C-alpha cells in the first residue's frame, strides 16, 4: 500500500473522521474487502465492515456498499460517506456538515467546489457543427475574478439520513451543499494529483500550521531506530549503532538538540561514535526521562519530536508534537506515530524523519509569511 506523507492513504481518511465525526457521531467504519486495508483501519482505531463480493466489483458503487452496511446495522440513522482519495478534507468541515444534518434538519449534504471556468460545447469528430458557449456571453465576456463562478460536486463526501439511502438516494429530501475551501478540494484521481495533494496537506492540513511549533528537541530511541537488530562491532570490539550518517549533525546545524534514549546500556557504543549528544541508557520509563528533558529545556510538547520503534515508545510518541517510527516498527508504535518512514530501523530512518520535520516546518513557515 503506497504511503501518503508517511502514512497509508486510508489512515488519512480515518484520522479525518476520528478528529471530526467522533465529536458529533458515534463511530468510524471502513468498508473493504481487502485484508491490508482492514489491518490499517483497525490499527488506527476504525471499525471494519467486510463487504461482500457482490458490492466489491469494479462496477459497484459507494451506494451499493453503504446499503449493504446498513442492512447489518439498523442502529445507524445517519451515514457520512468520506472518500479515501480526498486527503485534503479537514475535520472542521465534517463537524459543520454533521451539525447541518443534526441541528438544521437537512436530510442530505454533499461537498461542492467553486470553479471559475468557462464551458464550451464539445464537437464530435465528423460532425459539422461549431462550438457554442455554455455559461457565458462572448460579447459580454466577464473577467473571471469578477464572476461568481459555478458550483461543482467534487465527491469528497456525502452525508445522508438512512431513510433516503433505503430508497436508493445519497442526495434528496431537504438537501444542501457544503462548499469546500479551494485549498482543501484536491482529490487524487490521477498520478499527478498525489504530490499536489501532499503539498496541500502539508500546508493546510489538519495537522498543519494551526498546531505546529518550531521543533527544538528530537529524542531518538537507539534500539530499533539507530540499529537494525544486528550487532556491528568496531575495530576495538565496541558495539556501534548502524544508522548514524550525518542526520544528527544536520539536525544540530538547524538548531535542533538531539538526545538519545535506550533501554539497554549502549553508552560506550554511542560514545565511540562521537555524536556529541546526550544519551540516557538503561531506561525503564522513557516518558519520565523525556518529560524531565522537556522541562529542563523549558519546552512544550509541541516543540519535541520523537522517533521510536517499540511499545515502550508509545507514550512518548503520543505526547510529542511530531512523532515518527521506522517502517518495521511494532504495530502499537505505528498506531501512535504521525509519520511512518519508508526506511527500516538502521537504514537512514532518522535522516528521513529529520527531512520530514524540516519539510513540514518550511511549509508552515512559508504559509505563515503569506497570511
Amino acid at each position: 500500500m503506497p504511503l501518503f506523507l508517511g502514512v497509508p492513504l486510508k489512515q488519512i481518511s480515518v484520522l479525518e473522521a476520528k478528529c471530526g465525526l467522533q465529536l458529533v457521531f458515534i463511530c468510524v467504519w471502513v468498508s473493504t474487502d481487502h485484508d491490508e486495508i482492514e489491518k490499517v483501519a483497525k490499527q488506527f482505531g476504525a471499525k471494519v465492515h467486510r463487504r461482500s463480493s457482490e458490492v466489491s466489483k469494479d462496477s459497484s458503487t459507494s451506494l451499493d456498499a453503504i446499503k449493504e452496511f446498513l442492512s447489518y446495522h439498523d442502529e445507524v440513522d445517519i451515514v457520512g460517506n468520506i472518500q479515501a482519495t480526498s486527503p485534503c478534507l479537514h475535520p472542521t468541515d465534517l463537524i459543520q456538515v454533521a451539525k447541518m444534518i443534526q441541528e438544521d434538519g437537512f436530510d442530505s449534504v454533499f461537498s461542492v467546489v467553486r470553479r471559475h471556468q468557462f464551458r464550451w460545447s464539445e464537437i464530435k469528430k465528423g460532425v459539422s457543427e461549431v462550438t457554442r458557449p455554455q455559461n457565458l456571453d462572448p460579447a459580454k465576456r466577464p473577467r473571471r475574478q469578477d464572476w461568481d463562478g459555478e458550483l461543482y460536486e467534487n465527491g469528497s463526501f456525502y452525508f445522508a439520513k438512512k431513510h433516503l439511502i433505503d430508497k436508493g438516494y445519497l442526495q434528496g429530501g431537504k438537501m444542501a451543499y457544503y462548499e469546500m475551501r479551494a485549498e482543501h478540494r484536491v482529490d487524487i484521481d490521477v498520478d499527478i494529483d498525489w504530490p499536489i495533494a501532499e503539498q496541500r496537506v502539508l500546508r493546510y492540513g489538519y495537522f498543519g500550521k494551526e498546531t505546529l511549533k518550531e521543533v527544538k528537541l528530537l529524542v531518538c530511541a537507539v534500539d530499533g531506530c539507530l540499529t537494525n537488530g544486528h550487532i556491528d562491532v568496531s575495530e576495538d570490539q565496541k558495539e556501534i549503532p548502524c544508522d548514524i550518517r550525518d542526520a544528527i549533525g544536520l539536525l544540530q546545524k538547524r538548531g535542533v538538540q538531539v538526545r538519545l534514549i535506550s533501554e539497554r546500556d549502549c553508552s560506550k557504543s554511542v560514545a565511540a561514535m562521537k555524536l556529541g549528544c546526550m544519551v540516557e541508557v538503561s531506561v525503564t520509563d522513557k516518558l519520565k526521562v523525556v518529560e524531565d528533558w522537556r522541562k529542563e529545556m523549558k519546552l512544550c510538547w509541541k516543540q519535541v519530536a520523537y522517533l521510536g520503534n517499540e511499545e515502550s515508545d508509545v507514550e512518548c510518541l503520543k505526547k510529542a508534537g511530531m512523532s515518527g517510527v521506522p517502517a518495521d516498527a511494532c504495530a502499537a508504535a505505528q498506531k501512535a506515530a504521525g509519520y511512518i518512514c519508508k526506511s527500516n530501523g538502521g537504514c537512514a530512518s532518522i535522516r528521513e524523519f529529520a527531512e520530514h520535520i524540516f519539510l513540514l516546518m518550511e511549509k508552515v513557515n512559508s504559509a505563515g509569511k503569506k497570511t
Side-chain angles (χ1 to χ4, degrees), residues 222-223 239 261-262 264-271 279 281-282:
V222 175
D223 314 307
E239 178 189 347
I261 194 167
S262 175
R264 301 182 300 116
D265 185 0
C266 59
S267 54
K268 292 182 180 179
S269 59
V270 172
V279 56
V281 300
S282 302

Side-chain angles (χ1 to χ4, degrees), residues 302-329:
K302 289 179 181 178
Q303 294 173 295
V304 177
Y306 192 94
L307 183 67
N309 179 71
E310 303 292 346
E311 288 191 17
S312 59
D313 297 307
V314 167
E315 294 306 315
C316 293
L317 290 167
K318 289 180 178 179
K319 285 274 192 179
M322 297 191 69
S323 58
V325 293
D328 55 352

Side-chain angles (χ1 to χ4, degrees), residues 15-25 82 87-100 109 157 159 178-181 183-184 204-208 210-211:
L15 292 178
E16 289 166 346
K18 285 174 69 64
C19 290
L21 293 182
Q22 282 194 330
L23 297 176
V24 284
F25 281 110
I82 304 170
C88 299
L89 178 61
H90 201 284
T92 55
D93 294 331
L94 300 179
I95 293 171
Q96 291 300 315
V97 172
K99 289 181 178 179
M100 292 173 70
V109 182
F157 60 78
F159 281 61
Y178 183 88
E179 184 177 347
M180 295 181 67
R181 287 169 285 182
E183 59 266 28
H184 293 159
Y204 301 108
Y206 59 92
F207 56 85
E210 296 89 351
T211 59

Side-chain angles (χ1 to χ4, degrees), residues 233-298:
V233 180
S234 63
E235 292 181 359
D236 57 357
Q237 300 302 302
K238 291 181 179 178
E239 178 189 347
I240 60 173
C242 302
D243 174 27
I244 302 299
R245 300 194 179 185
D246 60 344
I248 291 178
L250 172 67
L251 287 156
Q252 291 171 335
K253 288 179 180 178
R254 297 287 293 268
V256 179
Q257 187 172 145
V258 179
R259 298 188 179 185
L260 307 180
I261 194 167
S262 175
E263 295 175 278
R264 301 182 300 116
D265 185 0
C266 59
S267 54
K268 292 182 180 179
S269 59
V270 172
M273 296 300 294
K274 298 180 180 178
L275 300 176
C277 55
M278 182 181 295
V279 56
E280 189 79 17
V281 300
S282 302
V283 175
T284 57
D285 187 344
K286 292 180 178 178
L287 181 60
K288 182 180 184 305
V289 172
V290 180
E291 179 72 20
D292 289 343
W293 285 344
R294 180 189 69 80
K295 291 179 179 178
E296 169 203 325
M297 296 178 64
K298 298 181 180 179

Side-chain angles (χ1 to χ4, degrees), residues 40-250:
V40 170
K42 288 181 176 179
Q43 183 177 341
F44 291 96
K47 296 183 179 181
V48 173
H49 169 73
R50 288 293 297 207
R51 67 174 68 163
S52 67
S53 58
E54 285 75 16
V55 298
S56 300
K57 303 173 183 177
D58 291 341
S59 57
S60 299
T61 66
S62 296
L63 182 59
D64 295 332
I66 294 171
K67 291 177 71 174
E68 182 190 72
F69 170 81
L70 288 176
S71 70
Y72 289 91
H73 296 279
D74 291 335
E75 76 279 7
V76 175
D77 297 318
I78 302 170
V79 173
N81 179 34
I82 304 170
Q83 303 297 330
T85 52
S86 301
C88 299
L89 178 61
H90 201 284
T92 55
D93 294 331
L94 300 179
I95 293 171
Q96 291 300 315
V97 172
K99 289 181 178 179
M100 292 173 70
I101 295 277
Q102 294 182 319
E103 299 178 8
D104 299 335
F106 288 102
D107 296 309
S108 61
V109 182
F110 57 94
S111 61
V112 300
V113 296
R114 187 174 299 274
R115 293 178 179 169
H116 295 78
Q117 297 172 325
F118 297 132
R119 292 182 287 107
W120 293 79
S121 61
E122 182 180 358
I123 305 301
K124 302 295 183 181
K125 289 184 178 180
V127 177
S128 57
E129 293 182 1
V130 296
T131 187
R132 298 184 183 280
Q134 299 290 300
N135 61 349
L136 80 153
D137 179 359
K140 299 178 181 179
R141 182 184 178 92
R143 297 191 310 164
R144 284 194 290 182
Q145 61 266 39
D146 295 331
W147 177 45
D148 290 338
E150 296 179 325
L151 297 177
Y152 287 78
E153 183 179 325
N154 73 329
S156 186
F157 60 78
Y158 299 87
F159 281 61
K161 292 183 177 178
K162 183 178 183 295
H163 71 85
L164 273 178
I165 297 172
D166 288 340
K167 296 177 182 178
Y169 297 99
L170 276 175
Q171 297 158 299
K174 185 180 178 182
M175 185 167 42
Y177 62 78
Y178 183 88
E179 184 177 347
M180 295 181 67
R181 287 169 285 182
E183 59 266 28
H184 293 159
R185 70 185 185 190
V186 174
D187 293 323
I188 300 177
D189 294 321
V190 294
D191 289 347
I192 191 62
D193 294 333
W194 193 281
I196 295 173
E198 286 191 318
Q199 294 304 312
R200 288 290 179 89
V201 170
L202 280 173
R203 182 167 177 179
Y204 301 108
Y206 59 92
F207 56 85
K209 63 181 182 181
E210 296 89 351
T211 59
L212 273 180
K213 288 184 178 288
E214 191 75 32
V215 172
K216 297 295 185 183
L217 171 65
L218 170 64
V219 179
C220 178
V222 175
D223 314 307
C225 293
L226 297 186
T227 63
N228 59 9
H230 300 288
I231 300 296
D232 287 346
V233 180
S234 63
E235 292 181 359
D236 57 357
Q237 300 302 302
K238 291 181 179 178
E239 178 189 347
I240 60 173
C242 302
D243 174 27
I244 302 299
R245 300 194 179 185
D246 60 344
I248 291 178
L250 172 67

